[in-house]
Amino acid sequence: FLCAFLQLFSLPGGHVPNCQEVRAVFQSLHPGSKWVPETPVSADLQVCQTKGPTCCSKKMEERYQVAARSNMESGLQVVSAQLKRLIIQNAAIFQAFDLVLRHGRNSTLTMLKSEFPTLASGAQSSVGQLFLDMSLYILGSDSTVDHMVAVLYGRLFPLTYRRLLGGSGTSVSEECVRGAWKDSGAFGPYPKLMMTRLSRSLLATRVFLQALNLGIEVVNTTDHLRPGRECSRSLLRLWYCPHCQGMLGPPACRGFCQAVMHNCLGGAAEVQPHWRSYIDGLGKLAGAMRGEQDMEAVVLRLPTMIKLALKHAVNTRSHLNTLVSGMCGQTPQRASRSVGSPPSQPPAAAARGAQPSSSDPDEDFITSLRGFSSFYSGLGEALCSREPAPVNHSLCWNGQEMTDYPGPGLKRLHPSSESRSNKPPEPVISQIIDKLKHINQLLQIVTVSEKRWRARSRGAGANGWSEEGEEEFESGDCDDEDECAGVSGLGPPPRRKRLRIFALSDNLAMDDFTFQEQLLTPRL
């Protein structure tokens, strides 16, 4: 009689639920649970509905739904962990630009102390302010590079006039002298050349760093997607409804799993084309950040540029004294001969402490990042691949029952399974798409502008400099008419690898190595 009774309530295929295993597994997750049936019962479940008896109660179904949401969240974090770690590590390394700026500041102060000792003490704060402004600009401040350089030379010229050129100490207005350096051409072409090179290199560094931090934000956003009500029900049907039929861990039909993940990801697949463009743009910018856009090479040569500018002023002291006296209402005075022109020094001396490293971390990073070019188009597949494979390659779970496992290339779905919807992306997904569009435009502007500028530079000859700044850079536009072509003693920056921070760190105290933590998202 008992056997006949159980046959009446058996599942399709003659399978009777064995609730003992389900009970043991559920109680291991929720110790002390009172609502787990020991034998199959008839229950009015909301999602895991069956034609026969079930091993689940309504309370169990609710608990399973919570577990399904948790599994989805942890699955996303596991799948994206390698990508996020890759970007975070390289963003942290790239933030060592602060170390490069500190090294440039120290080299500039050392140069002033050895070449122009009478200027060193008075110029220390001005030099420090320049490098601080450069750091803030890279971090996103609204200042311009032209203004930074103009402020530096505006502060240096009164010191130069008084201490190197023998200008009178009291009769000439300090404010007048401060503004006279531009009209007098006191420092020759070097301020404009400095503006042009810094504008290109600092802008490239700024955009690259912004792109890295946006990459962290994009991955972080999709990494923490929260399943909604419909998604939770779908995940429950995918992962835990088999338990209600006495089956622990049956493989889900691949098409069914992918449809569930597609709906649960809130349109994350829409990120894919923008994500691919982001990686391509990042790779192009990394390739362009050589030579004139190599922030480290430019910064390491700033002491040489400043030294040549000061030499230019010293060599034209008589002319400058006459001009300044005429501008500021003071009769010319005999120039002091106590200060001679400092001995020339090879331009490479300022960068002597840094040697190119044997490997390029940028290329390694971009190569690794390209391996994630299809990350968002394959996100659902990656989540489904974490599901157990069928043991006998014959049966799989389609959301309501076990059915024949589809062959390769087939996606057999149960009529009641999840279907792909054409809903617009979730607001949080739309937001990161907009941010990717914006950064992709910036990456394109910087890279394209660099290509146009390189073409014009090549047209000036191998050793000539025909530098015409692009409008996007707001640079000093130092060109042939400004006598910047073939500047004596200062050729184009060497094409060396960017941010050789570990080569520099050998000569610096490591406690001076500080990352800009505020760049990372608060959650990180």
Side-chain angles (χ1 to χ4, degrees):
F1 175 81
L2 177 61
C3 292
F5 176 80
L6 291 177
Q7 285 179 357
L8 291 176
F9 291 95
S10 63
L11 294 177
H15 176 71
V16 178
N18 181 1
C19 298
Q20 294 302 320
E21 293 183 0
V22 175
R23 179 183 175 87
V25 170
F26 187 85
Q27 287 189 335
S28 67
L29 299 175
H30 304 281
S33 301
K34 305 292 186 181
W35 52 80
V36 186
E38 297 183 2
T39 57
V41 296
S42 178
D44 185 17
L45 303 179
Q46 293 184 349
V47 180
C48 301
Q49 300 174 355
T50 63
K51 298 178 181 179
T54 177
C55 293
C56 293
S57 63
K58 285 187 177 182
K59 282 286 189 180
M60 288 178 64
E61 192 179 46
E62 293 173 2
R63 291 285 183 166
Y64 274 140
Q65 196 161 334
V66 173
R69 288 197 296 267
S70 177
N71 284 353
M72 179 68 178
E73 294 170 8
S74 61
L76 282 170
Q77 294 174 16
V78 169
V79 169
S80 63
Q82 185 178 359
L83 171 60
K84 187 158 67 172
R85 182 166 55 248
L86 173 67
I87 301 178
I88 288 176
Q89 288 176 346
N90 283 274
I93 292 174
F94 193 80
Q95 289 173 68
F97 74 83
D98 186 55
L99 180 63
V100 176
L101 293 178
R102 289 171 184 264
H103 183 76
R105 179 201 63 193
N106 294 340
S107 298
T108 302
L109 294 176
T110 300
M111 180 276 297
L112 291 174
K113 186 176 181 180
S114 61
E115 301 286 346
F116 308 96
T118 56
L119 286 183
S121 59
Q124 184 172 358
S125 62
S126 300
V127 171
Q129 186 64 45
L130 170 69
F131 284 92
L132 175 61
D133 290 342
M134 289 164 59
S135 177
L136 294 176
Y137 175 82
I138 293 174
L139 295 176
S141 73
D142 294 332
S143 60
T144 65
V145 175
D146 285 16
H147 178 69
M148 301 175 203
V149 178
V151 168
L152 171 70
Y153 285 103
R155 292 176 176 175
L156 281 182
F157 186 64
L159 291 172
T160 303
Y161 178 71
R162 312 261 186 213
R163 301 183 184 184
L164 294 184
L165 308 184
S168 63
T170 58
S171 302
V172 178
S173 165
E174 184 78 10
E175 189 66 26
C176 180
V177 175
R178 185 178 294 113
W181 73 270
K182 285 186 179 180
D183 295 333
S184 64
F187 298 113
Y190 300 103
K192 283 192 175 182
L193 180 61
M194 189 169 164
M195 291 176 186
T196 302
R197 290 188 176 177
L198 281 177
S199 294
R200 295 188 179 109
S201 61
L202 293 184
L203 178 64
T205 304
R206 171 175 170 147
V207 173
F208 195 86
L209 189 58
Q210 286 178 352
L212 286 179
N213 286 285
L214 179 61
I216 297 173
E217 181 181 350
V218 169
V219 179
N220 230 16
T221 299
T222 51
D223 192 15
H224 291 81
L225 288 175
R226 294 293 182 263
R229 181 175 181 274
E230 289 302 319
C231 173
S232 298
R233 293 167 66 93
S234 299
L235 294 173
L236 172 60
R237 189 177 293 112
L238 173 67
W239 286 327
Y240 292 108
C241 283
H243 291 204
C244 298
Q245 297 188 21
M247 296 176 289
L248 298 176
C253 298
R254 184 54 56 92
F256 171 51
C257 178
Q258 290 181 0
V260 170
M261 295 305 173
H262 175 84
N263 291 331
C264 282
L265 291 174
E270 302 295 328
V271 179
Q272 177 55 39
H274 311 287
W275 175 255
R276 183 179 293 275
S277 297
Y278 163 79
I279 293 180
D280 290 342
L282 207 58
K284 290 177 182 178
L285 180 56
M289 292 172 72
R290 302 290 186 271
E292 297 79 17
Q293 279 194 311
D294 182 345
M295 187 272 286
E296 183 183 1
V298 172
V299 168
L300 292 179
R301 293 172 69 82
L302 286 185
T304 300
M305 267 191 269
I306 295 174
K307 179 178 72 174
L308 292 176
L310 292 171
K311 278 185 177 182
H312 186 279
V314 170
N315 292 335
T316 59
R317 71 163 63 88
S318 298
H319 176 65
L320 286 178
N321 273 319
T322 302
L323 284 177
V324 174
S325 297
M327 290 179 188
C328 300
Q330 175 69 23
T331 56
Q333 298 215 355
R334 180 182 179 86
S336 172
R337 297 184 180 275
S338 60
V339 180
S341 177
S344 61
Q345 185 177 4
R352 193 171 291 163
Q355 298 296 329
S357 59
S358 59
S359 62
D360 192 342
D362 289 340
E363 293 179 1
D364 295 339
F365 166 58
I366 296 299
T367 300
S368 300
L369 192 60
R370 290 191 191 281
F372 295 92
S373 294
S374 302
F375 177 75
Y376 283 100
S377 62
L379 187 54
E381 177 69 24
L383 289 168
C384 288
S385 65
R386 302 179 69 243
E387 296 298 306
V391 179
N392 56 10
H393 300 280
S394 60
L395 297 176
C396 64
W397 174 255
N398 69 358
Q400 285 194 345
E401 61 186 4
M402 298 297 290
T403 186
D404 293 336
Y405 193 82
L410 298 178
K411 296 181 179 180
R412 182 179 302 176
L413 294 176
H414 190 276
S416 64
S417 298
E418 319 304 315
S419 60
R420 293 182 180 270
S421 63
N422 295 320
K423 295 187 302 181
E426 297 290 336
V428 66
I429 298 296
S430 297
Q431 187 178 18
I432 62 173
I433 288 177
D434 290 340
K435 291 183 178 182
L436 280 173
K437 287 180 180 178
H438 176 68
I439 199 67
N440 289 342
Q441 289 177 349
L442 288 180
L443 290 169
Q444 185 177 12
I445 287 173
V446 176
T447 306
V448 171
S449 298
E450 166 67 3
K451 287 181 179 179
R452 290 202 301 266
W453 175 75
R454 284 185 187 280
R456 306 183 83 143
S457 296
R458 285 195 297 270
N463 298 320
W465 276 81
S466 177
E467 300 185 356
E468 298 188 17
E470 302 293 341
E471 293 181 1
E472 296 91 341
F473 294 118
E474 299 181 2
S475 70
D477 298 340
C478 185
D479 53 24
D480 288 331
E481 295 180 0
D482 295 310
E483 300 179 355
C484 285
V487 171
S488 174
L490 188 65
R495 292 182 177 275
R496 297 186 300 182
K497 295 171 183 175
R498 181 175 52 79
L499 286 178
R500 298 174 301 279
I501 58 172
F502 299 109
L504 291 176
S505 64
D506 294 338
N507 299 323
L508 296 174
M510 288 308 295
D511 57 4
D512 202 32
F513 189 91
T514 58
F515 291 136
Q516 305 291 342
E517 297 179 356
Q518 66 271 26
L519 277 179
L520 299 180
T521 57
R523 183 180 298 121
L524 295 173

